[in-house]
Amino acid sequence: MSDSPGLSRIRADLAPYSRTLVREFDDAAAAILPRISPSAFDHWCEEVLQIARSSFRSWETAAEFLRVSPTMSERLDEPGLLEWARIARELTLASSIVAAAYIQASPRIAGRLASADLGRWAALGRRLHGDSWKSISLATRYFEESPALLDALGIDSLETFVDFLAGVAQRSYDGAADCLENGARIVARIPPKDRPGMLELVRRLAPRSWKTAQSIFKEGPTLFRGIDGELRTWLITLTSQLADREPDDALDFLKEMVAALLAAPEADRLDLTHQAEALFATSWRAATAFIRSAPAVRERAGSAGFQAWYNHGAELLAESQEAGSAFFRMQSSRAKQVLELVSPGVAFESVRPLLQMYCEALSGRRLRVVSTADLQERAVGWTNVERPATDGASVHLPAYIEEYGDKRQNFAAYKVLSTHQAGHLEFGTFGFDFNRPAAVHRRNLRAELAVPPTGAAFERFFDAFDNRALAKDLFAVAEDFRIDQRLRSEYPGIRRPLSEVQAFALASRPSRPRPFHEQMVELLIRLSLGMEPTDDFETALHRLIAPLAQREATVEDAAEATIRLYRFVAQLPNIPLMGDTLEHLRLDPDDLSIQLADGGTPDFGSAQPYHSPDPVGYRDELKPELVEAMARARESNQQAGEASGLSAEQLGQLLEKSGELDLGDLSQGEARNSLGTFVTNILREAGQGAQSGQAQTAGEPGRHATAVRHALGASDPKVFLYDEWDFRANDYRPAWCRLKEQVLQEGSIEFFERTLVSHQALVSEIRRQFEMLRPEAFKRIKNLQHGEEFDLDATIDAIAQRRAGQTPSDKLYWRKNKSDRDVAVAFLLDMSASTDEEIEERPRSTMYVDPPPAIRWDRPNGWRWQWDEPLEEPRKRIIDVEKESLVLLIKALETIGDTYGIYGFSGYGRENVEFFTIKDLDERLSDRVKRRVDKISPVQGTRMGPAIRHCVTKLRQVEAKLKLLILLSDGRPQDHEYGRDRTEKDYAIHDTRMALLEAKRAAIVPFCLTVDRFGHDYLKAMCGDIGYEVVYEIGMLPKRLPALYRRLTT
Amino acid sequence: MTLRRAREVAVEEHLIREEPFYLPQGDEVEIFTAAYEQRLPVLLKGPTGCGKTRFIEYMAYRLQSHRVDSNGEIGVPLITVACHEDLTASDLVGRYLLEGEETRWIDGPLTKAVKTGSICYLDEIVEARKDTTVLIHPLTDHRRILPVEKRGQVIEAADGFLLVISYNPGYQSALKDLKQSTRQRFVAIEFDYPPRELEAPIIQHEAGVSHQVALELAKLGEKVRNLREHGLEEGVSTRLLIYAGRLIAKGIPARRACQVGIIWAITDDEHVQRSLEEVVSSIFE
Ligand SMILES: Nc1ncnc2c1ncn2[C@@H]1O[C@H](COP(=O)(O)OP(=O)(O)OP(=O)(O)O)[C@@H](O)[C@H]1O
Ligand SMILES: [Mg+2]
């Protein structure tokens, strides 16, 4: 090594830092010198010195620099080397540790990057380096990781990645470090062509929501599993848009969207993206929800319907994000209605009430029209949810019908199904009497059957046949045929849809089964569906059922026909028929005997076990013996205690013999098991029927009795028993609820007084309004000795009388009298626990309000918008507002002089309906009443039915021209065991509705006022054409209540 | 249709000259005849439009042999008063009128009936004011007298007189119920909508429709009345079925005629309307 003066100066300068440093310098210089120009070498030396000097421990960095320099001088050209050195120096000025990392990483990088890009690479490290020690470690880490990162990303993407890191680092160095550490590994698992997009996405997200960005990055490789190509690109693009809008939601969106896409059939996915993207512009939630719902909707509605459904939702979304998203989630009733409208199919739920009434009208019985799923759930023997069925007391229809072209036809099919079933009830299928003569068949063949002398009709009847299943199938076809024919003559309007449905059923019959018996039953089915008989066999069968087409034919005729059909069919064993083997048989048209044609003996093979042919879709699954058994179970239960009861064992045997339970595919053990279940359920149902038929006597606590937990009563309770309406049974449960009437305790009078003061303005406004009421509403009272004016009629009378020489009456005046207004009103106040809720203080915002169902779907403007008024006094509870309203109302009522009563109710369970009197109808307003108002407070459940019924009882006892019952509530009726289970709401609604109808029948005008803003849902069902109103803003109640009252009574 | 001109007749001369069409539903004709012969007041109970008014007209006609009036005309006049809430006792009994300087007493319908020996039919009696019962009581027991307070008289009823009142228990509220002391002065005949087989010929005759159409209307009536539980307590009256029939007779399609003539007339409840329309469309093609 030459000993130039420059070199020795450097050595001298370096020596103080460390002894080894000089040696390292020498080594490096020796290696480099030959490769570069002297001036460049000087330059290099200068950089070494600078590095070493720049800070306290930067000599270590210099050492590193010296160690790496020779390698770098091999890899870089002269300018490159100097550039590299310059960067090292600059970095050292910022942080010697970072610089060291840079230097260490350099050799590996030099091979990977063009020297021109070296600067970019280093600059990225600079970017990450801020001023804290954490940023130093981040930058250091960057240089350590960068070879791997560069391999995975290339310099361009690396830049994006570092941008992303920098974004995260602004908020969290740890987060950034975490991403950096795992970066190379993660990136490697992302398909290369997605990497730029993905990185771009997280880069945009990072400054806005670093956590989301971090999570997306880390989950990146797995997030998209299953989503490829175009779809993936699309998804990334969309998410990056979200980065600007709702960065926090990006991950949720991605996950939800991926899941939704994966749930959709692969072929449909790309298709859906266009519509989803349009929705996405407004709400990502709507977009994901849309993809989620789309497959099902499309399947149901067909593509035109699907488009219509989408359009409707999109329009809705444009108006309200919340409404639109709920729509696409299929969580709004609107969405279901729209779907229903645009689908060619018809959902049972949407037509259930209609069909219920329809069937009741037709059959003249109280029936339940429910879905087949319900019947299956009851587990009493029917297991097929596809097939309609009736158990004699209810009609069961499938949940959805879509096989008949358009909506009109599908609805018509529902009608045909229900008319047919109602027909069984109207035309007496289950009223079969074994001994009753048939109407059309003259000869009574049943008399010739060998059957037990007693027993249930169907059981006895089918006992007569060796092949019970065959006999039953024949009977079912015969009876169905009779019913259909009867419907044709009785209901001309049903003929056409019935024919259409029959034609459909006929067209979808399976090819003929081979064995003889099955073939005969199949032919019979087809004939019953309107097929014209062509060959001898068909003609013979047709002749046998023809009598059932007569209007007079009864179920006994169907039985007679069954015997004849059976005898005909059972002439031959159930032999398999090859080809068109019927040709080998000859039928004598006179005596219907079957012989082999030309005496030959074709080989028929041996008899086969009998299997019932496929059912006819629109006809119900007829189980006569089961229905009969159920009826027997009910009856025997009603004569409780008598020995005649049907035991479980007997019932089990009966059902097993009947062969009507679908046990076929089950193993012996399973069959026993489900038979047992059926039997238990049938008996239990029968028992329930009996129980609800017995009145419960007062005083004996039922099993629901629970201790009264709240004692607000100030008087000894008077107990009343009320029936409750069970809509499933379509009947009342007698004496079901025990209602205790008590006078409410007294509190302080202060509440009353204070309310009047704090609402002063409103009080006088109400008073003015009520005073205005007087003149119009009040009637003249005639026949008075004193009054406002002469009564013309009476005066003429009087003059005439005087002229006629008689003493006229002096009652010549009339006046308007307020007592003539003659209104009595009972206010019934919901004191349920839910009224304890504080009324929320919401910011002024628009809120979406579900429109009343009466508004038509095709007018999306039917949705109303509503500005929430800021509340006057926050922190109040619902009940407080209700109480205040009452005070104002009392004030108003006193002005006008109407008879009024105020009651509250609550309770727990049917045994504890609590009914509190605040002011009785015949009581006068007193301080005691005012004090009671104070004590109105939330208690427990809301069993509205009995409370309404009790008010009706009270109102019945007063005389008034107009009687009103105003129910003020904060939600739907709800109580312990007020319904089948806790989630069931229908029962309570129906009972309440019935109670309201009872009021109406008692010439009382019921009215429901609720502060439940979602009240429309159930109020429509609960009130029907009974008046109701939803007060959206509870703060408005004090004003609204008197106004409403005014309207109702004028 | 022959054109009929309006004609003024004094109530007491309003005779039923042509035999009204009335199809007996049971033994009501015999009962009423017997009651009339014994001069027992009669209470007709039944829902609206089931034939009470028609029945009383028919009976008035049938009973004509019981009386020959001053002009030599035969017949029992029928004086009908539709009661309403403002109807007072003097509306029934009569009042003085001024004529120039003179006064003239005008008999009310009840007085006229009492004097002329007519049947007085007080339709929907419970609607009337309570003071009318003061009049009814002495007329409907053995006394058969009408006090005319303003003239200081009592009128003993002419022989042919009979008081008949009607009452629809269906929509009466508890307080409008008839008092027992009033009720227990009458023989009560209960009416209801006739069964299908009897209602059909009525519709056929009254509406002039074919037997088939009449039968189907009667069937519809039966189905609607099956829905009493669903807020249709009043069912549908024979009168409305006849209306629908008349519309059909004039060429209105049956389904439409039932919609406007029956369904929309009996209920405003949309759901019930829809269900009934389905019933109609099953019955009529
Ligand atoms: N038994 C019947 N015979 C003939 N026509 C009848 C019969 N029953 C009802 N009608 C017909 O029904 C119509 C209505 O009957 P009507 O006017 O007598 O009823 P109502 O009982 O008096 O009703 P409301 O109580 O409303 O006055 C009659 O005009 C008549 O056409
Ligand atoms: Mg009448």
Side-chain angles (χ1 to χ4, degrees):
Chain A
M1 165 130 328
S2 66
D3 253 304
S4 77
L7 279 179
S8 39
R9 180 179 56 83
I10 292 169
R11 287 197 190 98
D13 279 354
L14 290 177
Y17 295 108
S18 138
R19 248 173 281 145
T20 53
L21 195 59
V22 177
R23 204 175 63 237
E24 283 184 283
F25 173 76
D26 285 343
D27 291 351
I32 289 174
L33 205 49
R35 296 200 190 114
I36 56 175
S37 65
S39 70
F41 182 74
D42 287 347
H43 207 120
W44 178 80
C45 292
E46 201 50 36
E47 301 287 18
V48 175
L49 273 180
Q50 295 271 346
I51 290 171
R53 280 180 198 146
S54 64
S55 67
F56 175 53
R57 301 202 59 172
S58 63
W59 64 269
E60 287 167 333
T61 310
E64 198 60 45
F65 181 80
L66 290 170
R67 272 196 292 275
V68 172
S69 283
T71 324
M72 294 308 282
S73 70
E74 274 167 32
R75 305 223 169 135
L76 302 172
D77 56 6
E78 194 178 288
L81 182 69
L82 294 183
E83 175 64 10
W84 174 75
R86 187 186 59 80
I87 294 170
R89 176 200 10 114
E90 277 177 14
L91 274 175
T92 315
L93 279 174
S95 159
S96 57
I97 301 177
V98 174
Y102 163 73
I103 293 162
Q104 271 168 12
S106 295
R108 276 184 292 156
I109 296 302
R112 289 173 163 89
L113 278 183
S115 58
D117 286 335
L118 215 57
R120 279 171 76 193
W121 167 71
L124 295 176
R126 280 297 314 255
R127 270 209 67 192
L128 288 176
H129 173 232
D131 39 20
S132 73
W133 63 269
K134 282 196 170 171
S135 78
I136 293 176
S137 90
L138 188 66
T140 312
R141 199 66 203 242
Y142 162 76
F143 287 116
E144 286 166 13
E145 295 289 334
S146 45
L149 284 170
L150 267 177
D151 283 350
L153 290 170
I155 183 72
D156 291 337
S157 291
L158 183 63
E159 222 158 40
T160 321
F161 180 64
V162 169
D163 264 0
F164 155 60
L165 290 179
V168 176
Q170 276 173 21
R171 295 307 202 73
S172 162
Y173 280 108
D174 292 341
D178 180 46
C179 294
L180 178 57
E181 260 165 53
N182 299 298
R185 194 173 44 79
I186 290 170
V187 169
R189 285 167 53 219
I190 300 175
K193 63 184 190 28
D194 289 335
R195 287 174 197 166
M198 187 71 195
L199 289 172
E200 181 57 27
L201 167 63
V202 290
R203 184 187 68 85
R204 286 170 71 169
L205 267 173
R208 297 176 176 84
S209 175
W210 68 271
K211 273 203 170 142
T212 316
Q214 183 192 16
S215 314
I216 290 186
F217 177 70
K218 291 187 76 178
E219 289 186 38
T222 50
L223 262 183
F224 296 90
R225 194 168 287 155
I227 304 287
D228 301 303
E230 229 177 301
L231 212 52
R232 187 184 279 234
T233 319
W234 175 75
L235 204 50
I236 293 175
T237 318
L238 238 56
T239 319
S240 352
Q241 289 174 24
L242 210 55
D244 301 328
R245 261 167 41 193
E246 292 144 287
D248 290 342
D249 292 349
L251 182 62
D252 292 344
F253 164 72
L254 256 180
K255 284 189 165 168
E256 178 52 30
M257 191 51 122
V258 168
L261 282 168
L262 288 177
E266 206 167 341
D268 292 353
R269 290 177 195 163
L270 259 179
D271 261 14
L272 295 173
T273 54
H274 299 286
Q275 286 157 321
E277 198 169 330
L279 300 177
F280 177 85
T282 315
S283 155
W284 68 264
R285 289 192 170 82
T288 52
F290 164 74
I291 300 253
R292 277 252 191 235
S293 307
V297 171
R298 190 182 268 179
E299 183 175 326
R300 180 167 278 200
S303 54
F306 176 70
Q307 188 60 41
W309 174 80
Y310 167 81
N311 291 345
H312 188 90
E315 224 170 286
L316 192 56
L317 184 68
E319 281 178 45
S320 151
Q321 290 206 16
E322 235 175 278
S325 303
F327 179 93
F328 284 114
R329 245 178 280 133
M330 292 300 291
Q331 279 173 1
S332 74
S333 48
R334 190 78 1 192
K336 291 192 178 127
Q337 282 165 19
V338 171
L339 176 58
E340 178 63 29
L341 270 166
V342 299
S343 316
V346 176
F348 174 67
E349 267 319 305
S350 67
V351 293
R352 198 198 69 78
L354 193 156
L355 292 177
Q356 161 100 35
M357 234 182 268
Y358 174 79
C359 288
E360 285 191 53
L362 254 50
S363 68
R365 304 176 189 213
R366 283 173 167 194
L367 288 179
R368 303 170 344 126
V369 176
V370 278
S371 85
T372 44
D374 196 89
L375 183 58
Q376 187 200 32
E377 215 174 277
R378 272 164 64 200
V380 289
W382 282 267
T383 50
N384 188 340
V385 285
E386 300 292 323
R387 297 197 60 195
T390 173
D391 65 357
S394 49
V395 162
H396 297 263
L397 298 170
Y400 200 72
I401 295 188
E402 58 182 346
E403 45 270 67
Y404 304 90
D406 62 18
K407 195 163 222 77
R408 188 192 57 77
Q409 288 170 308
N410 282 316
F411 175 72
Y414 259 123
K415 237 184 112 174
V416 169
L417 259 67
S418 28
T419 313
H420 180 91
Q421 289 200 60
H424 277 301
L425 301 172
E426 187 179 359
F427 305 119
T429 299
F430 302 110
F432 177 56
D433 182 336
F434 188 87
N435 298 319
R436 192 192 298 137
V440 182
H441 291 86
R442 295 253 183 72
R443 210 170 127 215
N444 184 354
L445 289 187
R446 279 166 296 162
E448 301 168 14
L449 297 177
V451 292
T454 55
F458 278 122
E459 186 192 359
R460 274 177 78 198
F461 180 66
F462 289 115
D463 273 349
F465 302 95
D466 295 336
N467 187 343
R468 202 182 194 96
L470 174 62
K472 223 163 239 185
D473 285 346
L474 291 171
F475 172 77
V477 185
E479 177 64 3
D480 282 334
F481 175 69
R482 176 181 81 91
I483 296 293
D484 282 347
Q485 293 304 111
R486 185 67 188 271
L487 294 179
R488 279 176 194 284
S489 76
E490 200 78 8
Y491 300 109
I494 210 76
R495 281 181 207 156
R496 205 153 53 101
L498 178 60
S499 299
E500 280 168 12
V501 169
Q502 286 188 330
F504 182 87
L506 193 56
S508 40
R509 293 308 297 168
S511 60
R512 289 184 186 189
R514 293 303 169 212
F516 182 67
H517 290 174
E518 283 155 51
Q519 187 158 149
M520 288 300 111
V521 178
E522 175 61 27
L523 286 180
L524 193 65
I525 290 176
R526 294 180 190 194
L527 289 166
S528 79
L529 291 173
M531 180 181 77
E532 289 298 327
T534 49
D535 62 23
D536 288 351
F537 277 89
E538 290 168 5
T539 312
L541 289 168
H542 192 251
R543 249 173 61 198
L544 290 173
I545 53 166
L548 301 175
Q550 293 183 40
R551 204 180 170 280
E552 298 73 32
T554 60
V555 63
E556 286 79 20
D557 282 299
E560 289 296 322
T562 304
I563 301 175
R564 289 162 175 84
L565 286 165
Y566 186 90
R567 288 187 179 168
F568 172 68
V569 174
Q571 285 181 66
L572 289 186
N574 193 24
I575 40 178
L577 302 175
M578 313 299 292
D580 218 351
T581 336
L582 284 183
E583 280 173 10
H584 297 291
L585 302 174
R586 215 191 62 231
L587 179 66
D588 183 331
D590 293 330
D591 65 358
L592 296 185
S593 65
I594 305 171
Q595 260 106 40
L596 293 179
D598 52 45
T601 16
D603 182 15
F604 285 126
S606 55
Q608 307 274 308
Y610 172 79
H611 293 290
S612 298
D614 285 358
V616 178
Y618 78 93
R619 289 178 178 163
D620 49 286
E621 204 175 357
L622 199 58
K623 296 183 187 292
E625 287 191 74
L626 177 54
V627 173
E628 190 172 66
M630 286 168 76
R632 276 173 73 189
R634 269 195 297 271
E635 266 163 42
S636 66
N637 228 302
Q638 258 145 34
Q639 310 146 358
E642 276 183 39
S644 70
L646 201 57
S647 74
E649 199 179 333
Q650 282 169 315
L651 186 59
Q653 281 166 0
L654 220 145
L655 295 183
E656 207 172 5
K657 180 175 80 177
S658 79
E660 286 177 3
L661 304 176
D662 308 317
L663 304 173
D665 300 337
L666 303 176
S667 72
Q668 189 100 31
E670 284 171 334
R672 280 246 74 80
N673 238 330
S674 39
L675 179 67
T677 315
F678 294 154
V679 167
T680 322
N681 290 338
I682 291 172
L683 288 176
R684 203 201 50 218
E685 280 189 6
Q688 257 176 13
Q691 201 181 40
S692 68
Q694 285 165 3
Q696 253 211 328
T697 42
E700 131 202 5
R703 69 191 167 89
H704 305 278
T706 313
V708 185
R709 300 184 193 175
H710 294 259
L712 274 174
S715 59
D716 282 342
K718 279 187 261 171
V719 174
F720 298 82
L721 291 178
Y722 286 99
D723 296 354
E724 188 162 284
W725 176 254
D726 179 355
F727 79 106
R728 286 219 161 65
N730 218 337
D731 205 349
Y732 284 101
R733 298 179 162 181
W736 192 250
C737 298
R738 179 200 305 265
L739 177 141
K740 289 179 221 149
E741 180 188 335
Q742 298 172 92
V743 177
L744 194 68
Q745 279 180 355
E746 287 169 30
S748 131
I749 201 166
E750 203 212 318
F751 177 84
F752 197 95
E753 309 285 342
R754 191 161 31 93
T755 306
L756 287 182
V757 172
S758 63
H759 287 81
Q760 223 166 15
L762 190 53
V763 170
S764 54
E765 185 190 326
I766 293 172
R767 160 140 12 97
R768 234 186 0 264
Q769 286 172 342
F770 273 71
E771 276 171 352
M772 266 177 359
L773 263 182
R774 278 180 182 165
E776 321 107 50
F778 295 1
K779 284 204 178 137
R780 296 172 176 195
I781 293 249
K782 298 187 183 180
N783 262 333
L784 299 174
Q785 275 178 335
H786 308 282
E788 296 162 26
E789 271 178 71
F790 281 114
D791 176 347
L792 193 61
D793 279 351
T795 315
I796 293 174
D797 261 4
I799 297 173
Q801 254 175 322
R802 219 174 45 212
R803 297 248 170 95
Q806 287 170 339
T807 321
S809 156
D810 56 355
K811 296 176 179 167
L812 300 183
Y813 295 90
W814 61 264
R815 81 177 137 83
K816 291 170 184 164
N817 190 318
K818 73 170 183 175
S819 64
D820 202 28
R821 207 180 116 88
D822 210 11
V823 178
V825 56
F827 287 92
L828 187 54
L829 196 68
D830 172 3
M831 285 166 57
S832 62
S834 53
T835 55
D836 203 15
E837 225 164 85
E838 274 174 6
I839 52 184
E840 324 140 51
E841 218 186 335
R842 259 168 284 94
R844 203 176 238 273
S845 69
T846 52
M847 197 197 68
Y848 166 64
V849 183
D850 212 32
I855 287 177
R856 289 183 38 203
W857 71 277
D858 53 1
R859 257 187 282 143
N861 296 345
W863 275 265
R864 277 187 290 153
W865 293 81
Q866 169 127 353
W867 286 98
D868 284 349
E869 295 292 329
L871 303 172
E872 288 168 22
E873 278 177 57
R875 304 277 116 202
K876 264 185 212 164
R877 298 167 307 163
I878 293 176
I879 193 102
D880 297 326
V881 184
E882 287 188 359
K883 280 161 69 176
E884 286 177 3
S885 313
L886 267 188
V887 171
L888 298 183
L889 190 76
I890 290 177
K891 202 69 191 162
L893 288 168
E894 287 295 323
T895 322
I896 202 167
D898 289 352
T899 307
Y900 66 99
I902 299 173
Y903 307 97
F905 73 99
S906 185
Y908 182 76
R910 66 183 180 95
E911 289 291 334
N912 287 295
V913 182
E914 288 171 89
F915 189 91
F916 300 106
T917 304
I918 293 129
K919 175 185 172 300
D920 225 335
L921 278 162
D922 56 5
E923 190 175 358
R924 294 192 39 198
L925 178 65
S926 64
D927 284 356
R928 304 188 60 183
V929 170
K930 294 180 185 174
R931 280 200 288 266
R932 282 181 210 138
V933 173
D934 185 40
K935 274 285 172 176
I936 297 175
S937 44
V939 190
Q940 272 175 323
T942 323
R943 209 181 194 91
M944 290 185 182
I948 293 171
R949 293 189 174 97
H950 194 58
C951 274
V952 171
T953 307
K954 286 191 164 286
L955 278 169
R956 272 178 194 281
Q957 290 157 6
V958 297
E959 269 202 30
K961 283 233 178 63
L962 175 62
K963 296 183 188 178
L964 279 171
L965 190 163
I966 299 181
L967 174 67
L968 180 57
S969 72
D970 74 323
R972 54 171 73 244
Q974 237 163 8
D975 188 24
H976 178 64
E977 296 189 336
Y978 203 17
R980 185 162 51 180
D981 54 46
R982 278 193 38 229
T983 56
E984 194 203 56
K985 295 163 178 162
D986 281 359
Y987 181 94
I989 299 272
H990 278 91
D991 177 51
T992 308
R993 175 179 166 72
M994 196 44 95
L996 291 169
L997 284 177
E998 289 161 27
K1000 225 174 138 182
R1001 258 174 248 154
I1004 294 164
V1005 180
F1007 192 94
C1008 301
L1009 188 64
T1010 182
V1011 296
D1012 178 3
R1013 60 179 69 222
F1014 300 110
H1016 275 301
D1017 289 358
Y1018 56 91
L1019 276 169
K1020 180 71 193 159
M1022 194 165 96
C1023 295
D1025 57 354
I1026 289 167
Y1028 69 87
E1029 183 174 308
V1030 176
V1031 178
Y1032 286 100
E1033 181 44 64
I1034 184 169
M1036 296 299 289
L1037 188 67
K1039 201 169 164 175
R1040 190 62 202 132
L1041 187 59
L1044 176 83
Y1045 180 74
R1046 210 155 50 85
R1047 200 194 75 210
L1048 280 176
T1049 56
T1050 47
Chain B
M1 208 193 280
T2 52
L3 224 55
R4 188 184 290 178
R5 281 173 199 283
R7 199 163 66 95
E8 283 185 31
V9 224
V11 277
E12 66 275 25
E13 283 156 26
H14 174 62
L15 289 178
I16 313 235
R17 283 163 220 274
E18 280 163 41
E19 177 168 357
F21 169 76
Y22 182 77
L23 197 68
Q25 307 293 308
D27 59 357
E28 71 272 26
V29 174
E30 290 80 50
I31 303 269
F32 192 94
T33 310
Y36 186 74
E37 273 158 12
Q38 294 292 328
R39 298 299 184 263
L40 302 177
V42 177
L43 162 64
L44 306 182
K45 275 210 272 189
T48 181
C50 69
K52 300 185 295 287
T53 305
R54 176 60 63 88
F55 172 69
I56 194 74
E57 286 174 348
Y58 172 74
M59 290 313 299
Y61 177 84
R62 258 184 72 116
L63 296 170
Q64 57 186 307
S65 57
H66 289 256
R67 179 177 167 275
V68 180
D69 79 353
S70 48
N71 303 337
E73 274 199 87
I74 311 176
V76 178
L78 174 63
I79 299 179
T80 304
V81 183
C83 301
H84 52 86
E85 51 188 293
D86 279 337
L87 188 96
T88 60
S90 50
D91 291 331
L92 288 176
V93 177
R95 51 167 44 101
Y96 281 105
L97 290 185
L98 283 177
E99 262 176 13
E101 289 298 295
E102 300 293 298
T103 60
R104 194 157 68 87
W105 169 262
I106 292 283
D107 282 338
L110 184 58
T111 313
K112 283 180 181 165
V114 169
K115 286 183 176 169
T116 56
S118 312
I119 294 178
C120 182
Y121 179 46
L122 302 182
D123 209 351
E124 289 301 343
I125 182 70
V126 282
E127 292 294 335
R129 292 217 166 195
K130 298 257 140 60
D131 61 351
T132 52
T133 49
V134 181
L135 304 175
I136 290 172
H137 283 198
L139 264 181
T140 46
D141 51 28
H142 65 277
R143 292 173 283 173
R144 285 174 58 84
I145 51 167
L146 177 67
V148 185
E149 203 189 323
K150 283 182 186 159
R151 309 184 79 185
Q153 299 177 330
V154 291
I155 308 175
E156 284 167 19
D159 183 47
F161 172 80
L162 187 77
L163 189 66
V164 179
I165 63 176
S166 83
Y167 164 70
N168 177 351
Y171 55 72
Q172 304 306 337
S173 62
L175 65 153
K176 276 192 176 161
D177 217 348
L178 274 184
K179 277 199 294 196
Q180 280 297 323
S181 57
T182 307
R183 290 181 83 130
Q184 297 208 11
R185 293 180 133 77
F186 293 86
V187 171
I189 302 180
E190 280 206 17
F191 289 74
D192 203 345
Y193 302 121
R196 217 198 264 192
E197 310 74 52
L198 281 178
E199 199 167 27
I202 298 175
I203 300 172
Q204 187 180 356
H205 179 276
E206 295 286 299
V209 288
S210 69
H211 175 67
Q212 186 59 28
V213 169
L215 202 67
E216 273 151 17
L217 282 167
K219 192 184 297 169
L220 176 61
E222 177 191 296
K223 303 300 177 200
V224 173
R225 290 167 198 150
N226 279 340
L227 291 180
R228 294 210 165 141
E229 309 287 333
H230 291 275
L232 294 176
E233 284 78 12
E234 290 286 310
V236 55
S237 66
T238 310
R239 183 172 23 236
L240 274 188
L241 297 177
I242 293 170
Y243 283 3
R246 288 191 172 165
L247 293 177
I248 295 172
K250 276 284 157 206
I252 306 288
R255 289 183 178 184
R256 182 73 178 138
C258 293
Q259 189 177 42
V260 299
I262 297 175
I263 301 178
W264 291 355
I266 59 175
T267 178
D268 297 327
D269 185 318
E270 227 180 286
H271 296 295
V272 180
Q273 286 179 355
R274 277 283 289 130
S275 306
L276 290 180
E277 279 167 20
E278 291 307 331
V279 175
V280 167
S281 74
S282 285
I283 293 179
F284 292 95
E285 273 200 277

